[in-house]
Amino acid sequence: MGAISTTQGRQSKLLGLGVHRPERVVTNDEICEFIDSSDEWIQTRSGIKNRRFTEPKQNVVYMAIEAGKKALEASGVAADQIDTVIVATSTHLEQTPQAAAKVAFALGTNGPAAFDIGAGCAGFCYALTVASDLVKAGTSKYVLVIGAEQLSETTDPYDRTTRFIFADGAGAVIVGQSDETEIGPAVWGSDGSQADAIFQTIDWYDYIMTEGAERPWIKMNGISVFRWAAFEMGKAAQKVLDVAGIKADELHAFVPHQANSRITELLAKSLNLNEETPVANDIAETGNTSAASIPLAMEELLRTGKAKEGDTALLLAFGAGLSYAGQIVKLPKL
C-alpha cells in the first residue's frame, strides 16, 4: 500500500484481530413472536437471517474483554505493553465509569489511558482513526481498539422497526507502529441536522422525573437512514480511496458497516468494484451490531478465507449522529 503514504516517519498498522460472538442464535421466527413481521420480509428488506443475543449480564464490558483477549493473542502483544484502550460503544449502560477502564484492568494491562467513544455505528472507525493518530504521533505504542454493543438490551422487543435489525457482539484490534502506511488517512464527518434519524426515546433525566414513563429505547427512522447512507456514503467511500491514492480495482475487500444488505449492494455498485472483490456480508448471520460490526465483518472475511492477512481493504462505517468514518487498511492477523 505504498501509494497511500501521506506523512513521513512513523506509521501505523493493525497487528491482530479478535472477536466475541455470543452463543445464543436468535432466528427471525423468534423475533417475529413479538413483532408483526415474517422471516421472508426481514430477509428481503435487510438481508438478516439470524443474529446473536447475549445473556443480560454478559454486557459490553464482558464482551469487550473476550474480544480483547483474542486480539492480544493474535497480535503477540503482551497485555502490559498496551498503553491505550479505546472502547467504541453506545450501549454501555453506566454513565460512569467508562467501559474502557474496566476492560483495561480485567485484561491485566498496566494502567493505560482508557476511554470510550460514542459515535453510534461509526464508533469503531472513529476509534481506529484516533488510535492510528496516537501511534503516528508517538503518544502511544500499542492501542487496543474495541467495538462492543449489547443492542438486545436497548431496543424494544415489540418495536417492528428496530428489533429485527440490531444485535450483540464485540470485535477488537491492536494498533501498533509500522514503517509503512498500513492504516490510511481517515475520511470522517457528521450531519447533526439528521440527529433524530437514530435516537433515544427519552433522556435519563426526563425518565427519572416523569411518573410512569416508559424506559428509554433506541429508535430509528429507517427510510431517512437508508436514503442518507445510499446517497452520501458512496461519495465518502470514493473520498477514502482518493485520499489513500488507490483505485477501487486495487482493493482486495470492501468492509462496509453491516447496516442493511441493500445499502451494502448500492455502495458496492457505486464504487464499481471488480466482480470478484469480496464484499463483507456478515449481517446475514450477525445482524447489525453497530460499533462492533466492522471488526466482526473483517473476522468473517478472514475466517472464511474470502480475504487474507495483508489484503488491502476499505472500511466504511456510518450511523447515529448521523456520523461516518472510513479508511483503507491492510487486514490483520486473526
Side-chain angles (χ1 to χ4, degrees):
M1 210 195 323
I4 77 163
S5 187
T6 52
T7 52
Q8 296 306 308
R10 189 189 290 108
Q11 293 298 321
S12 60
K13 67 191 280 187
L14 298 175
L15 297 168
L17 168 69
V19 303
H20 175 74
R21 295 177 185 273
E23 281 173 32
R24 185 181 161 212
V25 175
V26 179
T27 63
N28 288 339
D29 289 337
E30 186 178 334
I31 293 289
C32 293
E33 288 170 22
F34 297 90
I35 62 170
D36 177 22
S37 192
S38 69
D39 173 50
E40 187 196 16
W41 188 91
I42 292 171
Q43 286 201 47
T44 308
R45 295 302 176 98
S46 69
I48 299 169
K49 296 174 189 170
N50 297 302
R51 77 281 294 139
R52 307 280 186 118
F53 282 2
T54 63
E55 300 305 316
K57 287 215 180 316
Q58 293 179 341
N59 58 12
V60 160
V61 170
Y62 171 87
M63 289 187 284
I65 292 165
E66 293 302 305
K69 280 179 196 165
K70 291 178 188 167
L72 286 166
E73 205 177 306
S75 68
V77 175
D80 62 5
Q81 291 178 279
I82 298 292
D83 49 26
T84 309
V85 176
I86 309 174
V87 174
T89 184
S90 48
T91 52
H92 175 51
L93 298 179
E94 296 170 1
Q95 306 244 268
T96 307
Q98 68 274 39
K102 290 185 168 185
V103 173
F105 177 72
L107 289 172
T109 57
N110 199 15
F115 58 96
D116 296 354
I117 281 183
C121 303
F124 179 82
C125 288
Y126 265 64
L128 185 57
T129 300
V130 173
S132 173
D133 285 356
L134 285 169
V135 166
K136 288 196 283 193
T139 306
S140 302
K141 195 172 179 192
Y142 294 109
V143 185
L144 171 58
V145 176
I146 307 173
E149 300 284 12
Q150 188 184 24
L151 287 143
S152 59
E153 290 295 311
T154 57
T155 49
D156 179 354
Y158 299 94
D159 178 5
R160 70 182 301 269
T161 63
T162 58
R163 189 59 171 183
F164 70 94
I165 295 171
F166 292 109
D168 305 340
V173 294
I174 310 292
V175 178
Q177 294 174 6
S178 169
D179 296 331
E180 290 169 30
T181 306
E182 296 194 29
I183 300 174
V187 171
W188 57 349
S190 66
D191 181 0
S193 71
Q194 303 227 42
D196 58 358
I198 306 170
F199 64 98
Q200 183 176 300
T201 47
I202 184 173
D203 75 42
W204 288 102
Y205 179 79
D206 286 344
Y207 171 62
I208 293 158
M209 300 308 285
T210 309
E211 204 176 320
E214 190 179 7
R215 61 153 283 187
W217 298 111
I218 290 172
K219 296 276 183 190
M220 178 169 72
N221 181 335
I223 293 167
S224 298
V225 177
F226 191 98
R227 283 186 186 142
W228 178 78
F231 290 112
E232 299 300 325
M233 288 307 98
K235 290 185 264 184
Q238 188 53 56
K239 217 168 166 183
V240 175
L241 291 172
D242 293 344
V243 299
I246 78 163
K247 294 184 172 61
D249 61 11
E250 295 175 78
L251 286 175
H252 298 124
F254 177 36
V255 189
H257 166 49
Q258 304 293 293
N260 180 306
S261 60
R262 288 158 75 191
I263 294 175
T264 295
E265 281 161 26
L266 286 169
L267 292 175
K269 211 170 171 182
S270 77
L271 283 170
N272 293 316
L273 296 171
N274 285 340
E275 274 183 35
E276 63 275 13
T277 304
V279 178
N281 185 36
D282 192 39
I283 192 169
E285 293 298 329
T286 306
N288 177 343
T289 54
S290 190
S293 108
I294 294 278
L296 285 167
M298 281 198 288
E299 185 267 351
E300 194 270 341
L301 285 176
L302 291 164
R303 172 168 44 86
T304 57
K306 291 175 202 144
K308 61 187 190 302
E309 181 189 344
D311 278 358
T312 300
L314 165 58
L315 312 184
L316 184 73
F318 48 89
L322 291 169
S323 53
Y324 65 92
Q327 55 269 95
I328 303 285
V329 302
K330 291 242 172 137
L331 291 173
K333 191 188 294 178
L334 190 56

